[in-house]
Amino acid sequence: MDHFLYRNGQLHAEDVPVAEIAAAVGTPVYIYSTATLLRHFRLFDEALDWGPHLVCYAMKAASNQAILTTLAQAGAGMDVVSGGEYARARAAGVPGDRIVFSGVGKTRAEIRTALEGGIRQFNIESEPEMEAVSDIAAAVGISAPVTIRVNPDVDAKTHAKIATGKSENKFGIPIARAREVYARAAALPGLRVVGIDVHIGSQLTQLEPFRQAYRKVADLTRALREDGHDILRLDLGGGLGIPYTRSNEAPPLPTDYGQMIREELGDLGCEIEIEPGRLIVGNAGILVSQVIYHKQGEGRDFLILDAAMNDLIRPAMYDAHHDIVPVVEPDTGVEQALFDIVGPVCETGDTFARARPMPPVGPGDLVAFRSAGAYGAVMASEYNTRALVPEVLVNGDQFAVIRQRPSFDEIIKRDSIPAWL
Ligand SMILES: *Cc1c(COP(=O)(O)O)cnc(C)c1O
Protein backbone atom coordinates (compact mmCIF):
# COMPACT_ATOMS: atom_id res chain seq x y z
CA MET A 1 0.00 0.00 0.00
CA ASP A 2 1.23 3.50 -0.74
CA HIS A 3 0.02 7.08 -0.74
CA PHE A 4 0.33 7.85 -4.46
CA LEU A 5 -3.24 7.83 -5.73
CA TYR A 6 -5.31 9.58 -8.38
CA ARG A 7 -7.63 12.20 -6.99
CA ASN A 8 -9.77 14.46 -9.18
CA GLY A 9 -7.99 13.02 -12.21
CA GLN A 10 -4.51 13.94 -10.94
CA LEU A 11 -1.85 11.72 -9.37
CA HIS A 12 -1.22 12.90 -5.82
CA ALA A 13 1.58 12.28 -3.38
CA GLU A 14 -0.45 12.20 -0.18
CA ASP A 15 -2.41 15.48 -0.45
CA VAL A 16 -0.13 17.22 -2.94
CA PRO A 17 -0.71 17.03 -6.71
CA VAL A 18 2.41 15.56 -8.29
CA ALA A 19 2.13 18.10 -11.14
CA GLU A 20 2.46 20.92 -8.60
CA ILE A 21 5.78 19.52 -7.36
CA ALA A 22 7.01 18.99 -10.92
CA ALA A 23 6.14 22.61 -11.75
CA ALA A 24 8.00 23.89 -8.69
CA VAL A 25 11.10 21.67 -8.82
CA GLY A 26 11.30 20.56 -12.44
CA THR A 27 11.79 17.03 -13.74
CA PRO A 28 13.10 14.44 -13.33
CA VAL A 29 12.45 14.38 -9.60
CA TYR A 30 12.04 11.74 -6.89
CA ILE A 31 9.07 12.22 -4.59
CA TYR A 32 8.72 10.34 -1.30
CA SER A 33 5.71 9.95 0.96
CA THR A 34 6.26 10.28 4.71
CA ALA A 35 3.06 8.37 5.49
CA THR A 36 4.15 5.39 3.38
CA LEU A 37 7.63 5.34 4.91
CA LEU A 38 6.25 5.35 8.43
CA ARG A 39 3.54 2.84 7.64
CA HIS A 40 6.07 0.33 6.33
CA PHE A 41 8.46 0.83 9.23
CA ARG A 42 5.61 0.32 11.71
CA LEU A 43 4.40 -2.83 9.91
CA PHE A 44 7.79 -4.44 10.55
CA ASP A 45 7.96 -3.12 14.09
CA GLU A 46 4.52 -4.53 14.88
CA ALA A 47 5.27 -7.83 13.13
CA LEU A 48 7.99 -8.45 15.72
CA ASP A 49 5.99 -7.19 18.69
CA TRP A 50 5.92 -10.71 20.15
CA GLY A 51 9.42 -10.24 21.57
CA PRO A 52 12.41 -7.92 22.00
CA HIS A 53 13.47 -6.59 18.62
CA LEU A 54 15.00 -3.73 16.67
CA VAL A 55 14.19 -2.78 13.08
CA CYS A 56 17.41 -1.44 11.54
CA TYR A 57 16.56 0.33 8.30
CA ALA A 58 19.08 -0.66 5.60
CA MET A 59 19.83 2.87 4.55
CA LYS A 60 21.66 1.95 1.37
CA ALA A 61 18.17 1.68 -0.18
CA ALA A 62 17.59 5.44 0.20
CA SER A 63 19.83 7.52 2.41
CA ASN A 64 18.65 11.11 2.17
CA GLN A 65 19.02 12.80 5.58
CA ALA A 66 15.32 13.72 5.64
CA ILE A 67 14.29 10.08 5.12
CA LEU A 68 16.73 8.92 7.80
CA THR A 69 15.51 11.58 10.21
CA THR A 70 11.87 10.61 9.61
CA LEU A 71 12.63 6.97 10.41
CA ALA A 72 14.98 7.76 13.29
CA GLN A 73 12.29 9.86 14.95
CA ALA A 74 9.93 6.88 14.65
CA GLY A 75 12.45 4.77 16.58
CA ALA A 76 14.24 2.94 13.76
CA GLY A 77 17.77 1.69 14.11
CA MET A 78 20.01 1.72 11.04
CA ASP A 79 22.01 -0.84 9.11
CA VAL A 80 25.05 0.89 7.60
CA VAL A 81 27.59 -0.45 5.11
CA SER A 82 30.20 2.32 5.01
CA GLY A 83 31.77 5.07 7.05
CA GLY A 84 29.72 7.54 5.05
CA GLU A 85 26.49 5.81 5.99
CA TYR A 86 27.60 5.69 9.62
CA ALA A 87 28.16 9.46 9.50
CA ARG A 88 24.74 9.96 7.91
CA ALA A 89 23.01 7.86 10.57
CA ARG A 90 24.68 9.78 13.38
CA ALA A 91 23.87 13.10 11.71
CA ALA A 92 20.21 12.00 11.57
CA GLY A 93 20.29 11.57 15.35
CA VAL A 94 20.55 7.78 15.51
CA PRO A 95 22.50 6.75 18.63
CA GLY A 96 25.42 4.38 18.11
CA ASP A 97 23.70 1.62 20.05
CA ARG A 98 21.00 1.49 17.36
CA ILE A 99 23.43 1.17 14.44
CA VAL A 100 24.65 -2.16 13.06
CA PHE A 101 27.60 -2.16 10.68
CA SER A 102 27.35 -4.58 7.73
CA GLY A 103 29.41 -4.85 4.54
CA VAL A 104 32.14 -7.17 3.24
CA GLY A 105 35.04 -4.75 3.27
CA LYS A 106 35.01 -2.48 6.31
CA THR A 107 38.27 -0.54 6.33
CA ARG A 108 40.34 -0.06 9.47
CA ALA A 109 39.45 3.63 9.47
CA GLU A 110 35.72 2.81 9.27
CA ILE A 111 35.98 0.23 12.05
CA ARG A 112 37.81 2.66 14.29
CA THR A 113 35.36 5.51 13.70
CA ALA A 114 32.37 3.31 14.49
CA LEU A 115 34.02 1.79 17.55
CA GLU A 116 34.96 5.17 18.99
CA GLY A 117 31.69 6.80 17.98
CA GLY A 118 29.52 3.98 19.35
CA ILE A 119 28.11 0.94 17.60
CA ARG A 120 25.56 -1.72 18.43
CA GLN A 121 27.49 -4.44 16.64
CA PHE A 122 29.79 -5.19 13.74
CA ASN A 123 28.44 -7.89 11.46
CA ILE A 124 31.73 -9.59 10.66
CA GLU A 125 32.02 -10.94 7.11
CA SER A 126 35.36 -12.78 7.13
CA GLU A 127 38.20 -13.91 9.34
CA PRO A 128 40.62 -11.21 8.15
CA GLU A 129 37.97 -8.61 9.00
CA MET A 130 37.48 -10.23 12.40
CA GLU A 131 41.21 -9.91 13.06
CA ALA A 132 41.15 -6.26 12.02
CA VAL A 133 38.27 -5.49 14.40
CA SER A 134 40.07 -7.35 17.17
CA ASP A 135 43.33 -5.44 16.57
CA ILE A 136 41.64 -2.07 16.56
CA ALA A 137 39.43 -2.84 19.56
CA ALA A 138 42.44 -3.99 21.56
CA ALA A 139 44.44 -0.92 20.49
CA VAL A 140 41.78 1.63 21.44
CA GLY A 141 40.69 -0.30 24.54
CA ILE A 142 37.03 -0.56 23.59
CA SER A 143 35.47 -4.01 23.38
CA ALA A 144 33.77 -4.56 20.01
CA PRO A 145 30.34 -6.24 20.00
CA VAL A 146 30.27 -8.63 17.05
CA THR A 147 28.07 -11.08 15.23
CA ILE A 148 29.43 -13.21 12.42
CA ARG A 149 27.56 -13.26 9.15
CA VAL A 150 26.99 -16.84 8.12
CA ASN A 151 26.30 -17.86 4.57
CA PRO A 152 23.60 -20.54 4.85
CA ASP A 153 23.90 -21.69 1.22
CA VAL A 154 20.23 -21.33 0.36
CA ASP A 155 18.78 -20.20 -2.93
CA ALA A 156 16.95 -16.91 -2.37
CA LYS A 157 15.13 -17.33 -5.72
CA THR A 158 15.77 -13.74 -6.71
CA HIS A 159 17.77 -11.93 -9.41
CA ALA A 160 21.38 -13.21 -9.50
CA LYS A 161 22.79 -9.73 -8.90
CA ILE A 162 21.01 -9.45 -5.56
CA ALA A 163 21.27 -13.03 -4.25
CA THR A 164 23.78 -13.17 -1.39
CA GLY A 165 23.15 -16.40 0.45
CA LYS A 166 24.65 -19.04 -1.86
CA SER A 167 28.09 -20.47 -1.20
CA GLU A 168 29.45 -18.91 -4.39
CA ASN A 169 28.52 -15.38 -3.24
CA LYS A 170 31.14 -13.19 -1.57
CA PHE A 171 29.14 -12.70 1.62
CA GLY A 172 29.71 -14.14 5.10
CA ILE A 173 31.48 -17.30 6.18
CA PRO A 174 30.21 -20.76 5.23
CA ILE A 175 27.78 -21.90 7.91
CA ALA A 176 29.57 -25.25 8.09
CA ARG A 177 32.65 -23.45 9.43
CA ALA A 178 30.78 -21.27 11.88
CA ARG A 179 31.67 -23.15 15.09
CA GLU A 180 35.34 -22.98 14.27
CA VAL A 181 35.20 -19.26 13.46
CA TYR A 182 33.19 -18.45 16.59
CA ALA A 183 35.80 -20.31 18.64
CA ARG A 184 38.47 -18.08 17.11
CA ALA A 185 36.37 -14.99 17.81
CA ALA A 186 36.06 -15.95 21.45
CA ALA A 187 39.83 -16.36 21.70
CA LEU A 188 40.72 -13.03 20.07
CA PRO A 189 41.23 -9.95 22.27
CA GLY A 190 38.82 -7.04 22.05
CA LEU A 191 35.82 -8.95 20.68
CA ARG A 192 32.54 -9.63 22.44
CA VAL A 193 30.39 -12.14 20.58
CA VAL A 194 26.73 -11.10 20.85
CA GLY A 195 24.94 -13.10 18.18
CA ILE A 196 24.62 -14.37 14.64
CA ASP A 197 23.94 -12.47 11.41
CA VAL A 198 22.46 -13.68 8.13
CA HIS A 199 21.20 -11.91 4.99
CA ILE A 200 20.39 -14.02 1.95
CA GLY A 201 19.44 -11.47 -0.68
CA SER A 202 17.06 -8.79 -1.83
CA GLN A 203 13.61 -8.67 -3.44
CA LEU A 204 12.63 -12.12 -2.12
CA THR A 205 9.04 -12.87 -3.02
CA GLN A 206 8.59 -16.05 -1.00
CA LEU A 207 9.03 -16.88 2.68
CA GLU A 208 10.46 -20.34 2.06
CA PRO A 209 14.12 -19.32 1.45
CA PHE A 210 14.05 -17.17 4.59
CA ARG A 211 12.59 -20.07 6.53
CA GLN A 212 15.31 -22.43 5.35
CA ALA A 213 18.02 -19.96 6.31
CA TYR A 214 16.49 -19.17 9.70
CA ARG A 215 16.13 -22.85 10.51
CA LYS A 216 19.85 -23.22 9.98
CA VAL A 217 20.42 -20.19 12.20
CA ALA A 218 18.29 -21.78 14.93
CA ASP A 219 20.37 -24.96 14.82
CA LEU A 220 23.55 -22.93 14.86
CA THR A 221 22.33 -20.92 17.86
CA ARG A 222 21.92 -24.13 19.86
CA ALA A 223 25.27 -25.47 18.75
CA LEU A 224 27.11 -22.25 19.58
CA ARG A 225 25.45 -22.05 22.98
CA GLU A 226 26.65 -25.59 23.68
CA ASP A 227 30.11 -24.38 22.77
CA GLY A 228 29.75 -21.69 25.44
CA HIS A 229 29.03 -18.58 23.35
CA ASP A 230 26.52 -15.92 24.36
CA ILE A 231 24.08 -15.79 21.50
CA LEU A 232 21.86 -12.91 22.59
CA ARG A 233 20.81 -11.44 19.26
CA LEU A 234 19.91 -12.77 15.86
CA ASP A 235 20.29 -10.33 12.99
CA LEU A 236 18.13 -11.77 10.22
CA GLY A 237 19.03 -9.28 7.50
CA GLY A 238 16.62 -7.67 5.06
CA GLY A 239 15.38 -8.75 1.69
CA LEU A 240 11.61 -8.99 1.82
CA GLY A 241 10.37 -8.04 -1.65
CA ILE A 242 7.78 -5.54 -2.79
CA PRO A 243 5.17 -5.70 -5.56
CA TYR A 244 6.67 -3.87 -8.56
CA THR A 245 3.53 -4.36 -10.56
CA ARG A 246 -0.07 -4.86 -9.69
CA SER A 247 -0.51 -7.71 -12.12
CA ASN A 248 1.74 -10.22 -10.30
CA GLU A 249 1.03 -12.02 -7.09
CA ALA A 250 2.05 -9.84 -4.14
CA PRO A 251 5.03 -10.94 -2.01
CA PRO A 252 4.40 -11.98 1.61
CA LEU A 253 3.47 -9.24 4.08
CA PRO A 254 5.70 -8.17 6.98
CA THR A 255 3.10 -9.65 9.37
CA ASP A 256 3.54 -13.12 7.85
CA TYR A 257 7.30 -12.67 7.82
CA GLY A 258 7.25 -11.75 11.53
CA GLN A 259 5.08 -14.75 12.30
CA MET A 260 7.43 -17.08 10.43
CA ILE A 261 10.36 -15.69 12.43
CA ARG A 262 8.46 -16.37 15.61
CA GLU A 263 7.78 -19.96 14.51
CA GLU A 264 11.39 -20.67 13.61
CA LEU A 265 13.28 -18.65 16.24
CA GLY A 266 10.79 -17.48 18.85
CA ASP A 267 11.73 -20.08 21.45
CA LEU A 268 15.41 -19.15 21.55
CA GLY A 269 14.96 -16.09 23.74
CA CYS A 270 17.08 -13.91 21.46
CA GLU A 271 16.57 -10.28 20.58
CA ILE A 272 15.60 -10.18 16.91
CA GLU A 273 17.10 -7.61 14.57
CA ILE A 274 15.99 -7.17 10.98
CA GLU A 275 17.42 -4.93 8.28
CA PRO A 276 14.70 -4.13 5.75
CA GLY A 277 15.52 -1.52 3.13
CA ARG A 278 13.48 -1.97 -0.02
CA LEU A 279 10.20 -2.76 1.70
CA ILE A 280 10.35 0.40 3.81
CA VAL A 281 11.17 2.86 1.06
CA GLY A 282 10.48 1.13 -2.28
CA ASN A 283 6.81 1.94 -2.61
CA ALA A 284 7.26 5.17 -0.67
CA GLY A 285 8.93 6.83 -3.67
CA ILE A 286 8.15 7.65 -7.29
CA LEU A 287 10.30 9.14 -10.02
CA VAL A 288 8.49 11.79 -12.04
CA SER A 289 9.59 12.57 -15.56
CA GLN A 290 8.37 14.51 -18.57
CA VAL A 291 7.97 13.10 -22.05
CA ILE A 292 10.31 14.96 -24.43
CA TYR A 293 9.46 13.29 -27.73
CA HIS A 294 7.34 10.62 -29.28
CA LYS A 295 9.56 9.11 -31.96
CA GLN A 296 8.22 6.73 -34.54
CA GLY A 297 10.81 4.09 -35.28
CA GLU A 298 10.62 1.19 -37.65
CA GLY A 299 8.05 -1.20 -36.24
CA ARG A 300 8.08 0.46 -32.85
CA ASP A 301 7.27 3.71 -31.14
CA PHE A 302 9.60 5.34 -28.64
CA LEU A 303 8.65 7.59 -25.78
CA ILE A 304 11.76 9.61 -24.97
CA LEU A 305 11.72 10.88 -21.39
CA ASP A 306 13.79 13.47 -19.55
CA ALA A 307 14.69 10.78 -16.98
CA ALA A 308 17.44 8.34 -17.88
CA MET A 309 19.45 5.40 -16.60
CA ASN A 310 21.63 7.78 -14.59
CA ASP A 311 18.53 8.72 -12.55
CA LEU A 312 17.11 5.20 -12.19
CA ILE A 313 19.46 2.38 -13.10
CA ARG A 314 17.36 -0.57 -11.95
CA PRO A 315 15.93 -1.49 -15.37
CA ALA A 316 19.42 -1.41 -16.95
CA MET A 317 21.16 -3.16 -14.07
CA TYR A 318 18.63 -5.70 -12.82
CA ASP A 319 16.21 -5.96 -15.75
CA ALA A 320 13.77 -4.47 -13.27
CA HIS A 321 10.17 -3.65 -14.08
CA HIS A 322 8.63 -0.37 -12.94
CA ASP A 323 5.03 0.49 -13.64
CA ILE A 324 5.00 3.81 -15.51
CA VAL A 325 1.77 5.80 -15.25
CA PRO A 326 0.62 9.16 -16.57
CA VAL A 327 0.30 11.87 -13.92
CA VAL A 328 -3.04 12.88 -15.45
CA GLU A 329 -5.41 9.98 -14.88
CA PRO A 330 -6.30 8.27 -18.17
CA ASP A 331 -9.96 7.79 -18.95
CA THR A 332 -11.18 4.31 -18.16
CA GLY A 333 -11.28 1.98 -21.12
CA VAL A 334 -9.03 4.23 -23.19
CA GLU A 335 -7.11 2.47 -25.94
CA GLN A 336 -3.48 1.68 -25.13
CA ALA A 337 -0.55 1.62 -27.53
CA LEU A 338 2.81 -0.10 -27.21
CA PHE A 339 5.91 2.00 -26.57
CA ASP A 340 9.58 1.47 -25.88
CA ILE A 341 10.18 3.91 -23.05
CA VAL A 342 13.72 5.28 -23.07
CA GLY A 343 15.92 8.06 -21.69
CA PRO A 344 18.19 10.47 -23.60
CA VAL A 345 21.51 8.89 -22.51
CA CYS A 346 23.80 7.56 -25.22
CA GLU A 347 23.50 3.89 -24.29
CA THR A 348 21.14 1.25 -25.60
CA GLY A 349 20.84 0.11 -21.98
CA ASP A 350 19.07 3.39 -21.30
CA THR A 351 15.73 1.66 -21.83
CA PHE A 352 13.12 1.60 -19.09
CA ALA A 353 10.59 -0.65 -20.79
CA ARG A 354 10.05 -2.41 -24.11
CA ALA A 355 6.68 -2.76 -25.84
CA ARG A 356 4.92 -1.32 -22.81
CA PRO A 357 1.19 -0.70 -23.20
CA MET A 358 0.53 2.95 -22.38
CA PRO A 359 -2.56 5.13 -22.49
CA PRO A 360 -2.16 8.17 -24.77
CA VAL A 361 0.77 10.31 -23.56
CA GLY A 362 2.81 12.74 -25.61
CA PRO A 363 5.43 15.47 -25.45
CA GLY A 364 5.09 17.68 -22.36
CA ASP A 365 3.09 15.08 -20.41
CA LEU A 366 4.28 13.90 -17.02
CA VAL A 367 4.71 10.25 -16.14
CA ALA A 368 5.56 8.58 -12.84
CA PHE A 369 7.68 5.49 -12.25
CA ARG A 370 6.09 3.69 -9.36
CA SER A 371 8.01 1.79 -6.66
CA ALA A 372 11.15 3.83 -7.34
CA GLY A 373 12.00 4.76 -3.76
CA ALA A 374 14.53 1.98 -3.10
CA TYR A 375 17.85 1.77 -4.94
CA GLY A 376 16.72 4.71 -7.05
CA ALA A 377 18.15 8.10 -6.07
CA VAL A 378 21.02 6.47 -4.15
CA MET A 379 22.31 4.88 -7.34
CA ALA A 380 21.90 8.02 -9.44
CA SER A 381 24.93 9.54 -11.12
CA GLU A 382 25.73 12.51 -13.33
CA TYR A 383 26.61 10.43 -16.38
CA ASN A 384 26.27 12.51 -19.56
CA THR A 385 26.62 15.51 -17.19
CA ARG A 386 22.99 15.28 -16.33
CA ALA A 387 22.51 17.03 -12.98
CA LEU A 388 22.04 14.72 -10.00
CA VAL A 389 18.31 14.12 -9.69
CA PRO A 390 16.63 16.13 -6.90
CA GLU A 391 14.49 14.65 -4.12
CA VAL A 392 11.29 15.90 -2.51
CA LEU A 393 9.57 14.71 0.65
CA VAL A 394 5.81 15.06 1.05
CA ASN A 395 4.03 15.06 4.39
CA GLY A 396 0.26 15.53 4.20
CA ASP A 397 -0.33 18.75 2.26
CA GLN A 398 3.27 19.96 2.58
CA PHE A 399 6.30 19.21 0.49
CA ALA A 400 9.95 20.15 0.76
CA VAL A 401 12.98 19.77 -1.48
CA ILE A 402 15.30 17.48 0.46
CA ARG A 403 18.03 17.50 -2.16
CA GLN A 404 18.46 20.33 -4.65
CA ARG A 405 19.24 19.78 -8.26
CA PRO A 406 22.76 21.19 -8.70
CA SER A 407 23.32 23.87 -11.32
CA PHE A 408 25.74 23.21 -14.17
CA ASP A 409 28.02 25.79 -12.58
CA GLU A 410 28.10 23.83 -9.33
CA ILE A 411 28.81 20.63 -11.22
CA ILE A 412 31.67 22.19 -13.18
CA LYS A 413 33.18 23.83 -10.11
CA ARG A 414 33.56 20.48 -8.36
CA ASP A 415 36.43 19.75 -10.73
CA SER A 416 39.70 21.61 -10.48
CA ILE A 417 42.21 22.48 -13.16
CA PRO A 418 45.85 21.59 -12.42
CA ALA A 419 48.33 24.49 -12.28
CA TRP A 420 50.03 23.36 -15.50
CA LEU A 421 46.95 23.99 -17.62
C1 LIG B 1 21.09 -4.62 1.10
C2 LIG B 1 21.07 -5.22 2.46
C3 LIG B 1 19.91 -5.17 3.25
C4 LIG B 1 18.61 -4.62 2.73
O1 LIG B 1 18.05 -5.40 1.74
P1 LIG B 1 16.58 -5.05 1.19
O2 LIG B 1 16.35 -6.02 0.13
O3 LIG B 1 16.63 -3.66 0.71
O4 LIG B 1 15.63 -5.20 2.34
C5 LIG B 1 19.97 -5.65 4.53
N1 LIG B 1 21.13 -6.17 5.03
C6 LIG B 1 22.26 -6.24 4.31
C7 LIG B 1 23.46 -6.83 4.91
C8 LIG B 1 22.27 -5.79 3.00
O5 LIG B 1 23.38 -5.87 2.28
Side-chain angles (χ1 to χ4, degrees), residues 44 77 109 142 158 179 233 254 256 258 311 347 395:
F44 275 117
I142 305 172
T158 184
R179 290 175 85 161
R233 306 176 188 158
D256 302 326
D311 304 306
E347 303 259 356
N395 185 7

Side-chain angles (χ1 to χ4, degrees), residues 169-222:
N169 301 133
K170 68 179 176 181
F171 302 95
I173 58 146
I175 197 161
R177 291 200 48 232
R179 290 175 85 161
E180 187 192 325
V181 179
Y182 271 86
R184 277 203 68 205
L188 283 172
L191 303 184
R192 184 164 56 89
V193 169
V194 295
I196 304 172
D197 173 46
V198 69
H199 170 74
I200 58 172
S202 196
Q203 185 54 16
L204 272 71
T205 53
Q206 300 164 31
L207 286 185
E208 205 41 46
F210 286 117
R211 193 186 284 278
Q212 282 173 27
Y214 297 171
R215 227 167 246 179
K216 292 188 180 190
V217 168
D219 292 342
L220 181 62
T221 303
R222 296 189 188 95

